[in-house]
Amino acid sequence: MTQETLSKIHEEYLNSLKCSKDILSITKNLYERLSVLEICEEEQQQFDLFLDGVQGCIRHRERTNEFTSLLEGITTTIVYIIIFMNNCKSKNWDTNIRARRKALEKDLTKVLQHAIDLSNTHIKDRFGTRIVLLNDKDFSTQQVLSELNDISNSLQSIICATNRKLRNEFCEFISDIKNPLIKHQIDVILGLPFSVDSFKDYVANPKDNGYQSIHMILRIDSTSQYFAGAEMEFQIRSQEMDEKAEIGDYNHSEYDKKYEAIENIFHISNNKTFKSLKVIGFTSYVPNIGDVDGIGSAKIIINRRVSSSLIPTYK
């Protein structure tokens, strides 16, 4: 897209912010404003793809509470899968489990990136959980790869019912849970028709920049009575892989450089403009400081650490 078109999108985004009270109204107002813009024929395909992506943002924001509660239930289930594997399968996993909801700016930026590349603007990672193996130093390099795969396989086996024997053993393990809220959350998750919609093993086959992580998208069948069509991303990696991905050799610097032109399209650089907004909860760009849903940073829903030493049993 030309800089002129990108500037128009940025202007309409700011206008949408100024007349909106929450995230959902921002996306709806943005779509309405963009729909009437005149775009040159050469850019029409990219622009139409972007509009489709904004519609996707609207549909997912309309189901924010629903999908957030689903992610909470999945995270609780993963906590108990880790406990089960440590207790019953002789694993020694010390893990950090972090669930997040993608920020509005990141959501729209990714949609625009895909549109510019003429790619599908259906975004599957708006809701996601990252599982980091913290005690990777306790294993050899080859063992780390094996443990990460075992974590991935245990999630698929139990949540997606790809291994009925392991799933049944897990169900027997959690049958002793006394807390009715936790037990109900896990029972709901196990009752949903999950399947693996996408699986990418960047551990066995690292990206060109060396990035390593297991990525998979779990999806609930569209015919399900509850949470139909919901998609959740899961990332599984070692602590060393996580550190390099976040602050080291594997970070997104090269990826971001490719899209420098759109870096600030959905960012409010003017502090005066930001403070004048009446959007509920948008008070800061600092993560978790008064920012209810994340205008610039992901909303962290759950951050849990689970290990055999910290929580030998948990019922």
Side-chain angles (χ1 to χ4, degrees):
M1 288 186 186
T2 63
Q3 189 58 51
E4 180 182 358
T5 300
L6 294 175
S7 296
K8 287 181 180 179
I9 294 174
H10 176 63
E11 181 180 354
E12 295 305 337
Y13 175 67
L14 293 180
N15 289 333
S16 299
L17 286 172
K18 292 173 184 176
C19 66
S20 302
K21 62 179 182 179
D22 52 38
I23 285 185
L24 180 57
S25 57
I26 291 171
T27 51
K28 287 183 174 180
N29 287 330
L30 178 62
Y31 181 80
E32 290 176 3
R33 289 175 175 275
L34 293 178
S35 296
V36 297
L37 283 184
E38 292 187 6
I39 303 297
C40 66
E41 187 175 346
E42 291 79 8
E43 295 181 299
Q44 196 64 57
Q45 185 179 3
Q46 291 174 317
F47 194 76
D48 287 344
L49 279 171
F50 177 61
L51 284 179
D52 289 343
V54 175
Q55 280 191 312
C57 292
I58 294 171
R59 289 193 295 271
H60 279 79
R61 294 293 171 181
E62 287 175 333
R63 302 181 70 183
T64 290
N65 288 335
E66 179 187 3
F67 287 175
T68 299
S69 65
L70 173 64
L71 189 57
E72 291 171 346
I74 292 176
T75 305
T76 298
T77 303
I78 293 173
V79 166
Y80 275 85
I81 289 174
I82 300 297
I83 295 170
F84 164 69
M85 296 298 289
N86 281 343
N87 277 263
C88 303
K89 298 299 176 181
S90 302
K91 291 298 180 182
N92 180 30
W93 293 339
D94 183 354
T95 58
N96 178 250
I97 305 168
R98 195 179 197 192
R100 64 100 180 104
R101 184 168 62 235
K102 188 183 285 291
L104 175 63
E105 288 183 1
K106 300 294 184 182
D107 198 348
L108 292 172
T109 299
K110 189 167 186 177
V111 167
L112 184 55
Q113 289 169 352
H114 283 214
I116 289 174
D117 290 340
L118 296 177
S119 302
N120 190 330
T121 54
H122 176 65
I123 306 302
K124 298 182 177 183
D125 65 345
R126 288 186 170 94
F127 298 84
T129 299
R130 180 178 299 167
I131 304 166
V132 179
L133 184 65
L134 299 176
N135 61 328
D136 50 354
K137 302 301 183 186
D138 293 342
F139 306 100
S140 68
T141 300
Q142 193 58 42
Q143 285 176 322
V144 168
L145 305 186
S146 177
E147 297 300 327
L148 295 178
N149 274 294
D150 283 351
I151 293 174
S152 171
N153 290 334
S154 67
L155 299 189
Q156 295 179 56
S157 296
I158 294 171
I159 296 177
C160 302
T162 59
N163 183 329
R164 288 289 178 180
K165 183 177 183 296
L166 189 65
R167 179 182 167 100
N168 290 339
E169 290 175 1
F170 176 72
C171 289
E172 183 178 351
F173 176 77
I174 65 168
S175 64
D176 291 333
I177 293 177
K178 301 298 190 294
N179 188 313
L181 178 59
I182 293 174
K183 184 67 165 60
H184 177 70
Q185 278 188 311
I186 298 175
D187 286 342
V188 167
I189 296 302
L190 296 183
L192 294 171
F194 277 100
S195 62
V196 180
D197 187 61
S198 173
F199 184 87
K200 297 178 180 179
D201 189 351
Y202 297 122
V203 171
N205 302 289
K207 291 188 176 182
D208 291 341
N209 64 353
Y211 172 85
Q212 288 184 289
S213 183
I214 293 174
H215 288 199
M216 62 180 174
I217 304 292
L218 297 190
R219 187 177 190 276
I220 296 177
D221 191 273
S222 58
T223 61
S224 176
Q225 184 177 0
Y226 305 107
F227 308 109
E231 295 167 317
M232 305 280 161
E233 182 191 54
F234 296 84
Q235 298 179 356
I236 303 168
R237 57 179 70 157
S238 69
Q239 185 171 31
E240 181 180 2
M241 294 172 189
D242 190 57
E243 290 173 352
K244 289 183 177 180
E246 293 299 304
I247 59 176
D249 300 336
Y250 307 164
N251 65 24
H252 290 78
S253 57
E254 289 301 315
Y255 178 81
D256 292 339
K257 188 175 182 180
K258 178 182 176 183
Y259 299 106
E260 279 180 339
I262 64 173
E263 183 179 355
N264 294 314
I265 297 297
F266 305 106
H267 184 80
I268 309 170
S269 56
N270 188 312
N271 192 47
K272 184 178 179 181
T273 300
F274 184 85
K275 289 184 177 180
S276 69
L277 298 179
K278 304 301 180 183
V279 180
I280 296 172
F282 287 1
T283 58
S284 173
Y285 263 104
V286 180
N288 300 322
I289 305 297
D291 196 348
V292 171
D293 205 75
I295 188 169
S297 57
K299 172 64 177 178
I300 304 303
I301 299 169
I302 295 176
N303 193 357
R304 294 284 304 275
R305 183 174 179 180
V306 183
S307 73
S308 55
S309 56
L310 286 173
I311 313 176
T313 57
Y314 193 95
K315 296 183 178 181

